[in-house]
Amino acid sequence: NKFAAQLVGERNRRAVVEVIGALPLMFAGTPDITDIGALLETVDGVVLTGARANVHPSRFGVEPHPRHEPYDTCRDDVALAVAEACVTRGVPLFGICRGLQEMNVAFGGSLHPEIREIAGRMNHRMPRLETGEVHPCPLVVFADRHEVTLVPGGVFAGILGCKRIWVNSLHGQGSWRPGVRVLVEGIAEDGTIGAIRIADAPTTMVQSLGQPPLAGSGQLAEHYFAAVYDKASGLASALAATAGLLDLGEPEDPDDEG
Protein backbone atom coordinates (compact mmCIF):
# COMPACT_ATOMS: atom_id res chain seq x y z
CA ASN A 1 0.00 0.00 0.00
CA LYS A 2 1.26 3.46 -0.91
CA PHE A 3 -0.65 5.20 1.84
CA ALA A 4 -0.70 3.99 5.42
CA ALA A 5 -4.19 3.52 6.84
CA GLN A 6 -5.80 2.13 9.95
CA LEU A 7 -9.16 0.33 9.97
CA VAL A 8 -11.63 -0.96 12.51
CA GLY A 9 -14.05 -3.71 11.57
CA GLU A 10 -17.69 -2.67 11.68
CA ARG A 11 -18.62 -5.90 13.45
CA ASN A 12 -16.54 -4.81 16.42
CA ARG A 13 -17.94 -1.28 16.44
CA ARG A 14 -21.52 -2.49 16.27
CA ALA A 15 -20.99 -5.04 19.04
CA VAL A 16 -19.83 -2.30 21.41
CA VAL A 17 -22.75 -0.01 20.54
CA GLU A 18 -25.59 -2.51 20.15
CA VAL A 19 -24.72 -4.85 23.00
CA ILE A 20 -23.62 -2.48 25.75
CA GLY A 21 -24.53 1.00 24.50
CA ALA A 22 -20.97 2.32 24.70
CA LEU A 23 -19.28 4.70 22.27
CA PRO A 24 -16.55 2.94 20.23
CA LEU A 25 -13.38 4.97 19.75
CA MET A 26 -10.46 3.85 17.59
CA PHE A 27 -7.04 4.83 18.92
CA ALA A 28 -3.92 5.11 16.81
CA GLY A 29 -1.83 1.96 16.42
CA THR A 30 1.22 4.18 15.95
CA PRO A 31 3.60 4.32 18.92
CA ASP A 32 5.14 7.72 18.29
CA ILE A 33 1.77 9.51 18.37
CA THR A 34 -0.05 7.43 20.98
CA ASP A 35 0.17 8.61 24.57
CA ILE A 36 -0.96 5.47 26.40
CA GLY A 37 -1.29 7.25 29.73
CA ALA A 38 -3.57 9.91 28.25
CA LEU A 39 -5.53 7.21 26.40
CA LEU A 40 -6.24 5.18 29.52
CA GLU A 41 -7.29 8.29 31.44
CA THR A 42 -9.87 8.98 28.71
CA VAL A 43 -11.57 5.62 28.10
CA ASP A 44 -13.65 3.31 30.30
CA GLY A 45 -12.10 0.16 28.87
CA VAL A 46 -10.11 -1.23 25.94
CA VAL A 47 -10.94 -3.88 23.34
CA LEU A 48 -8.01 -5.38 21.42
CA THR A 49 -9.57 -6.70 18.24
CA GLY A 50 -8.56 -9.22 15.62
CA ALA A 51 -6.57 -8.11 12.58
CA ARG A 52 -5.04 -9.37 9.34
CA ALA A 53 -1.47 -9.02 10.58
CA ASN A 54 0.26 -11.45 12.92
CA VAL A 55 2.26 -10.55 16.01
CA HIS A 56 5.91 -10.34 14.92
CA PRO A 57 7.82 -13.51 15.96
CA SER A 58 10.71 -11.49 17.38
CA ARG A 59 8.36 -10.65 20.25
CA PHE A 60 8.49 -14.26 21.44
CA GLY A 61 11.89 -15.47 20.28
CA VAL A 62 11.05 -17.05 16.91
CA GLU A 63 12.57 -16.28 13.52
CA PRO A 64 10.16 -14.51 11.13
CA HIS A 65 9.27 -16.17 7.82
CA PRO A 66 7.62 -14.63 4.74
CA ARG A 67 4.83 -17.22 4.72
CA HIS A 68 3.68 -16.01 8.13
CA GLU A 69 3.32 -12.42 7.02
CA PRO A 70 1.87 -9.81 7.13
CA TYR A 71 3.17 -8.35 10.37
CA ASP A 72 2.33 -5.02 11.99
CA THR A 73 5.14 -3.99 14.31
CA CYS A 74 3.54 -0.63 15.06
CA ARG A 75 0.42 -2.32 16.39
CA ASP A 76 2.66 -4.73 18.32
CA ASP A 77 4.37 -1.79 20.01
CA VAL A 78 1.12 -0.13 21.00
CA ALA A 79 -1.05 -3.16 21.82
CA LEU A 80 1.48 -4.94 24.01
CA ALA A 81 2.18 -1.77 25.95
CA VAL A 82 -1.55 -1.05 26.29
CA ALA A 83 -2.17 -4.58 27.61
CA GLU A 84 0.47 -4.19 30.29
CA ALA A 85 -0.69 -0.70 31.22
CA CYS A 86 -4.34 -1.77 31.49
CA VAL A 87 -3.44 -4.52 33.92
CA THR A 88 -1.20 -2.24 35.97
CA ARG A 89 -3.82 0.52 36.17
CA GLY A 90 -6.86 -1.73 36.51
CA VAL A 91 -8.46 -0.57 33.26
CA PRO A 92 -10.78 -3.30 31.94
CA LEU A 93 -9.29 -5.06 28.92
CA PHE A 94 -11.01 -7.43 26.49
CA GLY A 95 -9.04 -9.16 23.74
CA ILE A 96 -10.53 -10.83 20.68
CA CYS A 97 -8.62 -13.23 18.41
CA ARG A 98 -5.29 -11.42 17.81
CA GLY A 99 -6.00 -9.70 21.10
CA LEU A 100 -5.54 -13.08 22.82
CA GLN A 101 -2.14 -13.49 21.21
CA GLU A 102 -1.15 -9.94 22.20
CA MET A 103 -2.17 -10.37 25.82
CA ASN A 104 -0.25 -13.63 26.08
CA VAL A 105 2.89 -12.20 24.48
CA ALA A 106 2.69 -9.02 26.58
CA PHE A 107 3.09 -11.19 29.69
CA GLY A 108 5.93 -13.33 28.39
CA GLY A 109 4.01 -16.04 26.54
CA SER A 110 4.82 -17.45 23.11
CA LEU A 111 2.86 -18.19 19.95
CA HIS A 112 3.04 -20.86 17.28
CA PRO A 113 3.29 -19.12 13.90
CA GLU A 114 0.87 -21.53 12.17
CA ILE A 115 -1.23 -23.57 14.56
CA ARG A 116 -2.66 -25.81 11.80
CA GLU A 117 0.81 -27.26 11.18
CA ILE A 118 0.86 -28.95 14.59
CA ALA A 119 -0.14 -32.62 14.40
CA GLY A 120 -3.74 -33.11 15.50
CA ARG A 121 -4.71 -29.44 15.25
CA MET A 122 -7.47 -28.17 12.99
CA ASN A 123 -7.19 -25.37 10.46
CA HIS A 124 -8.30 -22.31 12.41
CA ARG A 125 -8.05 -19.95 9.44
CA MET A 126 -11.10 -18.50 7.73
CA PRO A 127 -12.93 -20.76 5.25
CA ARG A 128 -11.82 -20.58 1.62
CA LEU A 129 -13.14 -21.77 -1.72
CA GLU A 130 -11.38 -24.46 -3.79
CA THR A 131 -9.73 -21.62 -5.70
CA GLY A 132 -8.04 -20.48 -2.49
CA GLU A 133 -10.07 -17.29 -2.28
CA VAL A 134 -11.76 -16.31 0.97
CA HIS A 135 -15.35 -17.52 1.07
CA PRO A 136 -17.54 -14.59 -0.03
CA CYS A 137 -20.41 -15.23 2.40
CA PRO A 138 -20.09 -13.70 5.90
CA LEU A 139 -22.56 -16.30 7.20
CA VAL A 140 -19.97 -18.96 6.33
CA VAL A 141 -16.87 -17.01 7.33
CA PHE A 142 -18.18 -16.06 10.77
CA ALA A 143 -20.16 -19.23 11.48
CA ASP A 144 -19.44 -21.31 14.59
CA ARG A 145 -16.49 -23.63 13.87
CA HIS A 146 -15.66 -25.56 17.02
CA GLU A 147 -16.27 -25.95 20.73
CA VAL A 148 -14.21 -24.47 23.54
CA THR A 149 -14.35 -26.23 26.91
CA LEU A 150 -14.22 -23.77 29.80
CA VAL A 151 -12.19 -24.36 32.96
CA PRO A 152 -14.57 -25.33 35.80
CA GLY A 153 -14.85 -22.51 38.32
CA GLY A 154 -13.07 -20.10 35.98
CA VAL A 155 -14.04 -16.54 35.10
CA PHE A 156 -15.47 -17.45 31.68
CA ALA A 157 -17.51 -20.33 33.10
CA GLY A 158 -18.91 -17.95 35.67
CA ILE A 159 -19.72 -15.21 33.16
CA LEU A 160 -21.33 -17.53 30.62
CA GLY A 161 -22.88 -20.02 33.03
CA CYS A 162 -21.95 -23.09 30.99
CA LYS A 163 -19.21 -25.67 30.50
CA ARG A 164 -18.71 -25.36 26.74
CA ILE A 165 -19.26 -22.74 24.08
CA TRP A 166 -19.17 -22.70 20.29
CA VAL A 167 -16.97 -20.10 18.62
CA ASN A 168 -15.91 -19.08 15.14
CA SER A 169 -12.21 -19.23 14.29
CA LEU A 170 -10.20 -16.94 12.00
CA HIS A 171 -6.55 -17.10 12.96
CA GLY A 172 -3.23 -18.61 11.90
CA GLN A 173 -1.10 -17.93 14.96
CA GLY A 174 -2.05 -19.55 18.22
CA SER A 175 -0.93 -19.26 21.83
CA TRP A 176 1.70 -21.88 22.58
CA ARG A 177 3.21 -21.33 26.02
CA PRO A 178 1.20 -19.13 28.42
CA GLY A 179 2.96 -16.15 29.96
CA VAL A 180 3.84 -16.06 33.65
CA ARG A 181 0.59 -14.39 34.70
CA VAL A 182 -1.58 -15.89 31.97
CA LEU A 183 -4.21 -18.35 33.18
CA VAL A 184 -5.89 -20.57 30.61
CA GLU A 185 -9.69 -20.32 30.86
CA GLY A 186 -10.75 -22.38 27.85
CA ILE A 187 -9.37 -25.04 25.48
CA ALA A 188 -10.58 -25.74 21.93
CA GLU A 189 -11.40 -29.33 21.02
CA ASP A 190 -8.02 -29.76 19.29
CA GLY A 191 -6.05 -28.51 22.30
CA THR A 192 -5.59 -24.91 21.18
CA ILE A 193 -5.85 -22.27 23.90
CA GLY A 194 -9.22 -20.58 23.42
CA ALA A 195 -9.61 -18.21 26.37
CA ILE A 196 -7.28 -16.66 28.93
CA ARG A 197 -7.18 -14.15 31.75
CA ILE A 198 -4.40 -12.31 33.55
CA ALA A 199 -3.82 -13.43 37.13
CA ASP A 200 -3.84 -10.94 40.00
CA ALA A 201 -5.18 -8.12 37.85
CA PRO A 202 -7.07 -5.34 39.72
CA THR A 203 -10.12 -6.01 37.55
CA THR A 204 -11.13 -8.72 35.10
CA MET A 205 -8.82 -9.00 32.08
CA VAL A 206 -10.22 -11.60 29.70
CA GLN A 207 -9.81 -12.78 26.14
CA SER A 208 -11.70 -15.04 23.77
CA LEU A 209 -10.64 -16.88 20.65
CA GLY A 210 -13.58 -16.04 18.39
CA GLN A 211 -14.65 -12.88 16.62
CA PRO A 212 -17.94 -11.13 17.50
CA PRO A 213 -20.66 -13.25 15.88
CA LEU A 214 -23.14 -11.97 13.35
CA ALA A 215 -26.09 -10.02 14.72
CA GLY A 216 -28.79 -12.31 16.08
CA SER A 217 -26.54 -15.38 16.08
CA GLY A 218 -26.55 -15.89 19.82
CA GLN A 219 -26.11 -14.37 23.25
CA LEU A 220 -22.46 -15.15 23.94
CA ALA A 221 -21.20 -11.84 22.57
CA GLU A 222 -23.67 -10.04 24.81
CA HIS A 223 -22.29 -11.87 27.84
CA TYR A 224 -18.67 -11.17 26.80
CA PHE A 225 -19.04 -7.46 26.17
CA ALA A 226 -21.57 -6.76 28.91
CA ALA A 227 -19.48 -8.47 31.59
CA VAL A 228 -16.38 -6.49 30.72
CA TYR A 229 -18.27 -3.21 30.34
CA ASP A 230 -19.90 -3.71 33.72
CA LYS A 231 -16.40 -3.80 35.17
CA ALA A 232 -15.45 -0.69 33.21
CA SER A 233 -18.53 1.23 34.31
CA GLY A 234 -17.95 0.35 37.95
CA LEU A 235 -14.36 1.47 37.75
CA ALA A 236 -15.30 4.74 36.06
CA SER A 237 -17.89 5.49 38.73
CA ALA A 238 -15.39 4.84 41.49
CA LEU A 239 -12.89 7.23 39.93
CA ALA A 240 -15.41 9.95 39.13
CA ALA A 241 -15.26 11.38 42.66
CA THR A 242 -11.55 12.10 42.31
CA ALA A 243 -11.10 13.17 38.69
CA GLY A 244 -12.21 11.37 35.74
CA LEU A 245 -11.46 8.12 33.57
CA LEU A 246 -12.89 1.55 23.96
CA ASP A 247 -10.62 0.56 20.98
CA LEU A 248 -11.44 -1.65 18.55
CA GLY A 249 -8.90 -2.76 14.76
CA GLU A 250 -11.01 -6.80 8.74
CA PRO A 251 -11.60 -10.84 5.70
CA GLU A 252 -10.00 -8.58 3.73
CA ASP A 253 -11.97 -6.86 6.40
CA PRO A 254 -10.10 -5.95 9.57
CA ASP A 255 -12.26 -8.26 11.69
CA ASP A 256 -10.53 -11.17 10.05
CA GLU A 257 -7.63 -13.35 10.96
CA GLY A 258 -5.67 -12.36 14.00
Side-chain angles (χ1 to χ4, degrees):
N1 294 329
K2 288 185 177 181
F3 307 104
Q6 184 173 347
L7 304 173
V8 173
E10 181 152 336
R11 186 168 290 102
N12 290 292
R13 297 195 302 268
R14 288 191 174 276
V16 170
V17 175
E18 295 172 1
V19 174
I20 58 177
L23 173 66
L25 302 174
M26 179 177 76
F27 60 81
T30 312
D32 59 323
I33 63 172
T34 302
D35 183 330
I36 294 175
L39 169 68
L40 298 187
E41 290 174 0
T42 303
V43 300
D44 294 322
V46 173
V47 178
L48 295 176
T49 66
R52 294 284 297 168
N54 286 319
V55 178
H56 197 278
S58 63
R59 293 287 186 169
F60 45 92
V62 174
E63 288 295 317
H65 193 284
R67 66 195 180 94
H68 299 140
E69 296 176 355
Y71 301 121
D72 184 346
T73 56
C74 286
R75 168 159 171 163
D76 294 344
D77 290 340
V78 174
L80 271 60
V82 165
E84 291 186 84
C86 282
V87 172
T88 299
R89 296 175 179 228
V91 177
L93 173 67
F94 182 35
I96 302 171
C97 203
R98 173 180 161 128
L100 183 155
Q101 326 304 354
E102 291 169 333
M103 289 174 66
N104 186 33
V105 171
F107 288 90
S110 67
L111 310 179
H112 192 285
E114 192 62 67
I115 206 76
R116 62 181 173 176
E117 295 178 355
I118 302 173
R121 301 295 178 94
M122 64 180 285
N123 183 1
H124 287 262
R125 288 190 175 274
M126 56 194 312
R128 294 180 179 268
L129 302 173
E130 292 182 0
T131 61
E133 297 178 351
V134 173
H135 200 288
C137 179
L139 293 174
V140 174
V141 171
F142 292 97
D144 289 344
R145 297 275 299 282
H146 62 80
E147 279 190 320
V148 170
T149 299
L150 305 176
V151 173
V155 170
F156 268 69
I159 290 173
L160 302 176
C162 59
K163 298 178 180 179
R164 296 178 183 84
I165 59 173
W166 277 88
V167 300
N168 53 31
S169 192
L170 306 169
H171 64 103
Q173 286 183 326
S175 289
W176 188 238
R177 289 186 298 275
V180 292
R181 293 179 61 185
V182 176
L183 300 180
V184 175
E185 285 274 331
I187 300 289
E189 55 196 61
D190 66 350
T192 300
I193 294 173
I196 63 174
R197 69 179 174 90
I198 307 303
D200 303 320
T203 189
T204 303
M205 308 290 169
V206 298
Q207 202 289 332
S208 75
L209 187 70
Q211 297 282 351
L214 295 172
S217 65
Q219 295 182 322
L220 288 182
E222 180 175 348
H223 286 300
Y224 286 152
F225 282 92
V228 175
Y229 192 66
D230 282 348
K231 295 284 185 179
S233 298
L235 179 64
S237 297
L239 294 175
T242 55
L245 229 217
L246 224 148
D247 161 75
L248 311 164
E250 254 189 35
E252 266 101 44
D253 162 351
D255 284 333
D256 168 22
E257 311 185 25

